[in-house]
Structure formats: C-alpha cells, structure tokens
Amino acid sequence: MLNLDLTNLERITRGNQSSLLKYLRQFKELIPERVSQLRQMIKEKDRKGIRQCLHKMSPQLEFFGVNDAVVLKHRLELEYDSFPQEEMEAMLEQLLDKIDQSYLEIDKVIAKHV
Amino acid sequence: MSFKISCLIIDDDPFIQDLLSDKLSFFNEIEVIGQALNGRDGLKQIEDKRPDLVFLDVEMTDMTGFELLSSIHDIHFKTIFITSYGHYAIKAIRFNALDYLLKPIDLEELRNAIRRFKEQGEKEPSNKARHLVNNLKRKAEDQLLILKVQEGEFCKPLKDIICIEGDRNYSRIKLVGGSAELVAKTLSYFEELLEDKDFFRIHKSTVINRLHISKVKNEFIVLSTGEEIAISRRRKSDFIAWFNKDEV
C-alpha cells in the first residue's frame, strides 16, 4: 500500500469481514461526491467552501491514514485569510492526487476480501 | 440485571455514525438505541426514544447541534458533542463545561468521555446543555461560566468575575463581593477561553475583566475593588489596542 494505512480499520472491525467491507465501500460511496464538491470550491476559489469540504471528508481520510486533509484543514483554520492561494491550491492538488490513488488501492483491498 | 446507558447518535455523516456505533460496541454498559442522519430526525428520535445520552454533531446540513438543543424544551438527556470543527464550536462547548469528541473519534477519548458521563450522573450536576442554550442567547457579560470544581460546579455570570489570578496549575477567580474560587485550571486556559468575552491577560499572572476596570493609569490599571495591577511592558501595546476597541 502506498497511501492507505489500514490499522484503524483492522482495529475497529476486529476481523469481521462484513464490517471491514462496509467501511471500504463507504469510502467508495462517500469520497467521490465530496471530492467533486471540493473541486468545485477550488474552481470558485471559495475558501469557506474548501474548508467545509475538508472538514467533512477529513475524518474518513484520517481514518484511512490519508492525513494531508487534516494538515490543510488546520492551516485553513489558523490562516484563513493569509494562507497564500497558490500554496493552498498546490496542496489541494496533492491531496486530490493522493485521494485518487487511495481510491484505487481501496478497490484492491476490497477485491482481496470479497 | 445490569443497567445500560441508552444512546442516540445524531450525525449527518454515515461514516461517523457507523464508526461511533462500532466503537460504542466495545462498551458493555452502552446500548445504541438509534441513529439519525439529520437534526430533524434526531429531534423526533429524542422525543420517541428518550435516550440517556446523545452524541450530537455540531454542524449538520439542516441545523447545528446547538440549534437542535435550543429547540428542545425539556433536555432530559446528557450531551457529548462530536465535531471536526475548530475554535468557535469547541470554545462554546468548553465554556459550558460540556464534553466533546473530535472526529474520527479516538477509542481512549471515548472511554474517558463515557467515564465522565457516568461520574456526572452520580453527582447530578445542573443541566449544562440548557446552560449552553441560554448562554447563546445572552450578552457576553450575562453568560454563565461553568467549571467543574472539587465540590461540584462553579457557575457564575461573567460580570461577577473581577479578575483571575494564576498560580502554576491553579487559578483564583476573584468575584464581586470579595469572595474567590480556587480552581485546578491554568491561567492560560482562562486566557484562551475568555479572550472573546472581553477579558485580557494583563501580565503573566492576571486576566482581567473589562467591566471591572475603573481607571487606566500609565503602567497600572485600577479595578472596581480599588486594587491596582501593573500592566506588563510586553503586553502594553496589545492592552491599549484591546482597551480602546469597541466593546464586544
């Protein structure tokens, strides 16, 4: 695995396959919609919207070990007005890239457990 | 037969709902009796199922957790907020001595929150959620500061607090009428908690309430009690800016 850390998932599901699959499928269901909202907010340069999207998706990403969203969320909280636009956009692109890769990895994990 | 704590989870994120529900299954004394994906359904289930404890999301699509509580006449349950939100929500929750968990919910933090819930139940504290609801409607000076203290609960309006003095891990809250309360919290805790309530840390060991400043002399302020407190050199320009700004 390049991006995902499944420690939290394994701990909470305690070897229960159906519970494990539930979380993996939930990631596949919820994340694309949130990513598309985030892309829209980036396009509109809507900082408040970006922050809200990150808030919404960061617990799930953090659970799967993708911590970039959390870092970005904190920076947006502390430097809401001053966070340079270019730097923010670069970090968001990096995050979206990582989410895309995680999404593909999730498919492989699901295939292994079905 | 053992007593079970009935819980309701209200959060508009299905992931958090499942995660919290699964984590609560680690605790034998907890029974999840319902889950709601929005505030409206949450309100209905609170009324129908009358839970002992509600895990309540701060920010939902149809309403905030605070608005949900405001719309309930009889808050018969205890509340633990769940949030991924920063300052504003957490500050309001802490100001009212309520409990909260940060998403994506750490098992140890959940364990501690449940332990605190059980301890509170035994001591039957005043209804903190009701305080929060009322505080949100009040002017800052009329808001009640609620703190857990050794003997139970400290609960005073901000306007009755003259200043707070720090002494390492303790703080002494000086009140109108000459009394004082010693609490096991640092002065930095109060500095942060009260910074938007018109309190200011005037030097390393004192936070003052603007309402009780009767005079500002060069290097000192005079409090309503007549007591003079030195203004730290390092904080003087910040103090002047704060003192001259419009009242909150």
Side-chain angles (χ1 to χ4, degrees):
Chain A
M1 290 298 143
L2 294 168
N3 295 287
L4 294 178
D5 176 357
L6 301 180
T7 314
N8 288 325
L9 181 66
E10 283 156 3
R11 197 174 293 154
I12 190 77
T13 55
R14 292 178 277 183
N16 182 321
Q17 289 291 299
S18 70
S19 177
L20 187 128
L21 285 168
K22 173 187 76 181
Y23 283 103
L24 294 168
R25 287 180 176 138
Q26 211 171 39
F27 185 96
K28 290 211 64 178
E29 276 165 30
L30 297 176
I31 291 296
E33 189 194 332
R34 290 170 180 175
V35 164
S36 102
Q37 282 169 354
L38 181 59
R39 284 195 193 281
Q40 186 60 32
M41 295 301 144
I42 296 170
K43 209 166 126 189
E44 290 170 14
K45 298 192 188 301
D46 179 349
R47 285 184 174 229
K48 195 177 165 202
I50 291 169
R51 191 172 61 171
Q52 278 170 346
C53 285
L54 291 173
H55 272 296
K56 206 75 203 160
M57 68 205 298
S58 67
Q60 203 172 12
L61 294 175
E62 197 181 342
F63 179 76
F64 282 100
V66 186
N67 292 317
D68 305 43
V70 183
V71 176
L72 260 166
K73 186 185 77 172
H74 286 164
R75 279 203 66 181
L76 265 171
E77 242 162 45
L78 297 168
E79 308 168 50
Y80 183 68
D81 294 319
S82 57
F83 195 0
Q85 186 71 22
E86 276 182 17
E87 192 187 342
M88 184 176 70
E89 283 180 15
M91 284 177 82
L92 284 164
E93 274 313 314
Q94 213 177 351
L95 169 69
L96 288 168
D97 199 39
K98 211 166 227 185
I99 293 172
D100 283 345
Q101 291 169 40
S102 307
Y103 196 77
L104 297 173
E105 285 177 22
I106 289 265
D107 274 339
K108 288 182 193 158
V109 183
I110 290 175
K112 227 168 72 181
H113 286 89
V114 174
Chain B
M1 201 172 81
S2 63
F3 170 75
K4 286 223 174 201
I5 301 162
S6 60
C7 294
L8 182 65
I9 301 169
I10 307 175
D11 195 305
D12 64 356
D13 185 344
F15 164 71
I16 292 296
Q17 283 217 356
D18 286 345
L19 187 66
L20 182 53
S21 175
D22 281 343
K23 290 199 172 179
L24 287 169
S25 72
F26 283 78
F27 302 89
N28 291 329
E29 68 272 44
I30 301 281
E31 184 184 9
V32 178
I33 56 166
Q35 291 177 228
L37 271 170
N38 57 57
R40 242 173 51 179
D41 185 30
L43 280 168
K44 189 176 177 312
Q45 291 201 45
I46 285 171
E47 207 181 311
D48 293 347
K49 298 177 177 169
R50 297 191 65 84
D52 300 318
L53 175 62
V54 172
F55 289 93
L56 180 59
D57 189 14
V58 170
E59 198 74 33
M60 294 175 285
T61 33
D62 62 339
M63 65 180 81
T64 67
F66 301 152
E67 285 165 347
L68 181 143
L69 286 176
S70 298
S71 64
I72 300 174
H73 177 65
D74 165 31
I75 305 177
H76 57 272
F77 51 87
K78 299 238 167 61
T79 309
I80 296 177
F81 286 99
I82 33 183
T83 181
S84 62
Y85 275 76
H87 297 320
Y88 90 94
I90 292 174
K91 254 189 165 172
I93 294 165
R94 283 169 62 203
F95 185 76
N96 293 281
L98 280 151
D99 224 336
Y100 68 93
L101 292 166
L102 282 174
K103 297 175 186 180
I105 304 168
D106 177 75
L107 191 60
E108 267 319 295
E109 282 180 21
L110 179 61
R111 194 185 306 283
N112 289 335
I114 290 169
R115 179 184 47 76
R116 285 191 294 267
F117 166 83
K118 291 200 289 195
E119 285 169 4
Q120 274 179 24
E122 283 157 20
K123 287 182 192 164
E124 289 185 34
S126 62
N127 197 325
K128 290 171 185 166
R130 174 58 59 202
H131 279 309
L132 181 139
V133 167
N134 290 339
N135 269 343
L136 291 172
K137 294 176 195 157
R138 290 181 179 125
K139 287 195 293 181
E141 64 191 64
D142 293 323
Q143 291 181 5
L144 296 174
L145 173 65
I146 302 161
L147 301 166
K148 289 169 202 156
V149 290
Q150 212 170 9
E151 302 77 34
E153 207 173 75
F154 168 90
C155 180
K156 292 279 177 201
L158 290 181
K159 65 183 171 200
D160 286 356
I161 297 172
I162 296 168
C163 66
I164 304 170
E165 292 173 351
D167 184 5
R168 277 171 278 189
N169 293 329
Y170 291 86
S171 296
R172 184 178 300 278
I173 304 175
K174 289 185 160 179
L175 298 161
V176 168
S179 64
E181 182 84 31
L182 189 68
V183 292
K185 301 250 185 237
T186 62
L187 196 62
S188 299
Y189 173 88
F190 289 107
E191 181 186 14
E192 198 217 324
L193 188 71
L194 300 173
E195 67 182 353
D196 55 357
K197 309 275 186 201
D198 242 4
F199 282 67
F200 186 85
R201 188 166 184 167
I202 200 155
H203 61 70
K204 67 176 173 20
S205 56
T206 313
V207 167
I208 51 156
N209 182 353
R210 179 198 289 267
L211 284 176
H212 289 281
I213 300 174
S214 54
K215 208 186 287 175
V216 179
K217 296 202 270 186
N218 288 332
E219 307 298 325
F220 294 88
I221 57 142
V222 183
L223 292 175
S224 55
T225 53
E227 187 183 352
E228 287 190 356
I229 300 179
I231 306 166
S232 134
R233 206 174 298 167
R234 197 166 58 83
R235 295 169 199 262
K236 194 171 178 188
S237 59
D238 287 344
F239 169 76
I240 291 166
W242 170 80
F243 188 69
N244 290 328
K245 80 173 165 48
D246 291 334
E247 283 194 25
V248 182

